Amino acid sequence: MTRRWLGWLYAGPALLVLAIFFVVPVLAALLLSVTDYDLYAIASIHNLRFVGLRNYADLLSNPLFWQALWNTVYFVVVGVPLSLAASLGGAVLVHSKVARFKGFFRTAYFAPSITTVVAVAVIWRYLLHTRYGLINYLLSMLHIAPIDWLGDPHWSMPAIILFAVWKNFGYNLVILLAALGTIPADLYEAAELDGAGAFAQFRHITLPGIRGTLGFVGLLTMAGYFQLFAEPYVMTQGGPAQSTLSVLYLLYDEGFKWWNLGRASAVAFVLFLLMYATALLQHRWTREHRP
Amino acid sequence: MRRHTLLVNALLILTAGLTLFPLVWMVSVSLMPAGTSATYPPPLWPAHPTLANYTELWTHAGMARHLLNSLGLATVATALALTLNVAAGYAFAKLEFPGREAVAKALLAALVIPAQVAMLPLFLELKALGLVDTYAGVLVPSLAGIFSIFLVRQAALAIPHELIDAARMDGASEWTIFRRVALPLMRPMLVTLGVFAFLGSWNDFFWPLIVLNDSDRYTLPVALAALSREHVQDNELMMAGSVVTLVPVLALFLALQRHYLAGLMAGAVKG
């Protein structure tokens, strides 16, 4: 083996695995989405037919798809800004000069983000229980009537968003905290001498200083939130009245419950396009609002 | 100024209460006798603590088996992912080879494709290979990761060229340089990557749910989800199941948090 090819020996195994288990399946998904691959085709490949864009057309005329799309967009559009705002607020608190035990708080806040979604969803299902749940108990102290969080189609998505904000709070917080640490302290000192208040300092020093990281964190969170699945699978099973059925949940049902792999592949590509378009939009927005 | 200090720290404590309470309460409820948590107002503490829920999990739900499945799979996944990604990431940073830039560019472009797009055909592919409903089938998607490769590449780029050239001048083989020079210098990043891989495998739900049929091979999240559909009313049992699922990862995180968080923060600022 000459030195020239040594790099391939190091990179080869990983690249081979990626090619076989990622690149080939992605290309195959594109092909699959223009066929009627279903249970009959699994039985015998001779039953497979090319259907062109029919899967996509069917999808666009399927009310369930629009419901899943709407639910997912609802989760992303409400959940991502809430998540970012909560994490940024927390990061500013921990970063504060007067905060004590920073290491402890950082760890305490981060803990939920490493937990298994299924396991913590089970806890939240109990917290959100209509009759015995702690959240309704606390609300009753404020004279608010019990809310059927997971059984009322109006409240099921807000409940899942609340859970997601709790779960992802610490991860984004730690990344934003690192960004806050890169802002020179003398900027704040100068602003203070000029008589700028806390809010003015936040708007004119903190926000511009972490803009890049905030965009990056937003992108990551958005990508994650578009892949909503385990939360509704455990907490609501997509219900009530399909109010928490996400695009990925639809893909799972189509693909692995009904074995319509052709149609499910079309769902996969629509999800991909959706994520890609949103990322591009967000990227452009971050660039245009650069100071 | 004093009021400001008090307010900030009070808010910090309150927030810690919000993030930690569900986890602490989970342990508390898991120690309550069956049926006693479904009262109003919800009990915060078990009046008569018991380990009955854990015994039930072990004897009837086969939880020990699922715990071993998860531990074994996450350990193997971490070892394989580290080996493949570290070697590849190092090559992209420090070894010249034909086609390197083109492959790196292609990988970067592929980074935007979500894993779910590949999963339907991957299932068919594994079916053809006879890997559906096997441990190997669960491992496949977590073996090599583009994101991880770039993470390693970033860390390897930070190693000064002079150091490697000096070792070459001294007649060290490329393998020795990789083992004795590069790996020790990339250690902090390797810990982060290792924890990342372990958590990714341990917490993964979508893929094992798809690829596994036989409940004997279920990982903890899949087993827990199946259990929760059967035992919707058994809060105490479910909480015990959550404790079993969460304690290993929380322990791992607490043991390595200093390295892990530092790696995460360093990576974030650069990116």
Side-chain angles (χ1 to χ4, degrees):
Chain A
M1 178 68 64
T2 60
R3 263 266 302 276
R4 215 171 110 70
W5 291 93
L6 194 69
W8 274 107
L9 196 67
Y10 279 67
L15 293 177
L16 192 69
V17 166
L18 280 174
I20 298 174
F21 298 122
F22 187 67
V23 178
V24 168
V26 167
L27 296 177
L30 205 52
L31 291 178
L32 213 54
S33 77
V34 292
T35 68
D36 67 346
Y37 203 106
D38 57 10
L39 215 47
Y40 299 105
I42 294 179
S44 163
I45 199 73
H46 299 295
N47 293 323
L48 188 68
R49 276 169 313 173
F50 173 78
V51 296
L53 295 177
R54 206 183 71 197
N55 287 326
Y56 293 93
D58 282 353
L59 208 57
L60 297 182
S61 61
N62 181 357
L64 206 57
F65 165 72
W66 290 104
Q67 173 88 47
L69 190 65
W70 162 248
N71 293 340
T72 307
V73 169
Y74 177 8
F75 181 70
V76 170
V77 168
V78 178
V80 172
L82 266 180
S83 226
L84 290 187
S87 299
L88 182 56
V92 169
L93 272 182
V94 177
H95 188 65
S96 161
K97 268 180 298 186
V98 296
R100 310 274 178 86
F101 308 112
K102 292 183 185 212
F104 165 77
F105 286 120
R106 205 179 60 178
T107 305
Y109 296 169
F110 197 77
S113 66
I114 56 135
T115 57
T116 316
V117 177
V118 175
V120 281
V122 164
I123 306 173
W124 275 78
R125 211 174 56 179
Y126 177 47
L127 281 169
L128 292 163
H129 196 280
T130 316
R131 269 176 41 216
Y132 311 119
L134 190 77
I135 292 177
N136 274 351
Y137 176 67
L138 293 176
L139 289 178
S140 77
M141 289 178 171
L142 304 171
H143 303 287
I144 296 173
I147 295 172
D148 189 1
W149 290 102
L150 300 175
D152 180 337
H154 293 108
W155 286 109
S156 49
M157 197 49 100
I160 286 183
I161 290 173
L162 191 69
F163 167 61
V165 171
W166 173 81
K167 172 100 172 58
N168 295 294
F169 176 67
Y171 191 87
N172 290 340
L173 183 147
V174 162
I175 296 179
L176 290 170
L177 196 56
L180 288 177
T182 62
I183 302 176
D186 46 359
L187 281 183
Y188 290 103
E189 280 158 24
E192 217 151 293
L193 286 180
D194 288 346
F199 184 71
Q201 289 184 25
F202 179 77
R203 251 201 78 184
H204 297 292
I205 302 174
T206 310
L207 269 187
I210 58 167
R211 190 173 301 274
T213 309
L214 205 57
F216 167 73
V217 166
L219 210 63
L220 277 189
T221 311
M222 213 140 63
Y225 278 22
F226 265 119
Q227 299 171 31
L228 176 70
F229 175 71
E231 295 87 344
Y233 186 87
V234 174
M235 293 169 81
T236 57
Q237 300 175 24
Q242 270 104 36
S243 62
T244 55
L245 181 87
S246 62
V247 174
L248 193 55
Y249 208 132
L250 184 71
L251 181 151
Y252 174 79
D253 274 353
E254 279 287 355
F256 298 103
K257 199 165 157 199
W258 312 116
W259 298 102
N260 292 321
L261 292 162
R263 288 171 65 171
S265 292
V267 178
F269 273 100
V270 171
L271 180 66
F272 171 36
L273 284 180
L274 197 65
M275 288 172 67
Y276 193 65
T278 319
L280 279 184
L281 269 179
Q282 201 253 13
H283 186 71
R284 262 202 19 212
W285 190 85
T286 321
R287 248 203 349 223
E288 274 168 19
H289 288 73
R290 200 169 272 170
Chain B
M1 201 61 203
R2 258 194 67 79
R3 249 186 45 202
H4 178 66
T5 308
L6 217 61
L7 181 72
V8 166
N9 285 288
L11 279 174
L12 281 169
I13 293 169
L14 185 76
T15 311
L18 289 176
T19 57
L20 291 183
F21 178 78
L23 299 175
V24 176
W25 201 31
M26 157 187 79
V27 178
S28 171
V29 175
S30 80
L31 300 171
M32 294 178 190
T36 55
S37 73
T39 52
Y40 191 84
L44 291 182
W45 215 244
H48 307 282
T50 167
L51 290 175
N53 300 310
Y54 292 93
T55 346
E56 171 77 15
L57 281 181
W58 245 252
T59 50
H60 289 109
M63 215 56 170
R65 174 96 208 201
H66 304 307
L67 183 63
L68 279 180
N69 288 343
S70 273
L71 274 176
L73 282 168
T75 308
V76 176
T78 307
L80 288 173
L82 273 179
T83 310
L84 290 172
N85 295 328
V86 170
Y90 175 75
F92 277 110
K94 291 293 177 196
L95 299 171
E96 297 283 347
F97 59 89
R100 188 176 85 165
E101 299 318 312
V103 176
K105 251 188 210 147
L107 285 182
L108 211 52
L111 205 53
V112 299
I113 305 171
Q116 286 86 5
V117 172
M119 281 185 178
L120 297 147
L122 184 61
F123 179 84
L124 295 176
E125 196 179 310
L126 292 191
K127 198 164 154 3
L129 294 170
L131 289 177
V132 166
D133 204 17
T134 65
Y135 292 126
V138 181
L139 284 174
V140 155
S142 50
L143 288 182
I146 301 176
F147 191 71
S148 306
I149 292 175
F150 278 102
L151 221 62
V152 178
R153 178 174 169 265
Q154 211 60 34
L157 281 174
I159 302 172
H161 261 304
E162 298 79 33
L163 212 60
I164 291 178
D165 285 340
R168 278 184 192 141
M169 223 78 97
D170 287 346
S173 72
E174 288 298 327
W175 173 247
T176 311
I177 295 171
F178 175 62
R179 278 294 311 271
R180 306 252 170 239
V181 181
L183 278 189
L185 286 171
M186 296 194 289
R187 210 141 96 218
M189 201 279 312
L190 296 185
V191 175
T192 308
L193 199 66
V195 176
F196 221 69
F198 193 92
L199 289 178
S201 166
W202 186 276
N203 290 339
D204 191 17
F205 177 61
F206 194 69
W207 181 248
L209 178 74
I210 290 168
V211 89
L212 292 176
N213 295 320
D214 185 349
S215 62
D216 271 355
R217 278 186 278 275
Y218 278 1
T219 58
L220 281 171
V222 180
L224 196 63
L227 201 67
S228 87
R229 292 197 160 190
E230 254 173 68
H231 295 262
V232 183
Q233 301 299 330
D234 302 336
N235 289 324
E236 306 82 9
L237 184 73
M238 290 313 305
M239 292 297 154
S242 293
V243 171
V244 174
T245 309
L246 294 184
V247 161
V249 277
L250 285 172
L252 178 78
F253 165 64
L254 284 180
L256 296 174
Q257 58 142 331
R258 208 171 288 270
H259 304 276
Y260 179 61
L261 290 182
L264 197 69
M265 291 171 92
V269 173
K270 257 182 270 152

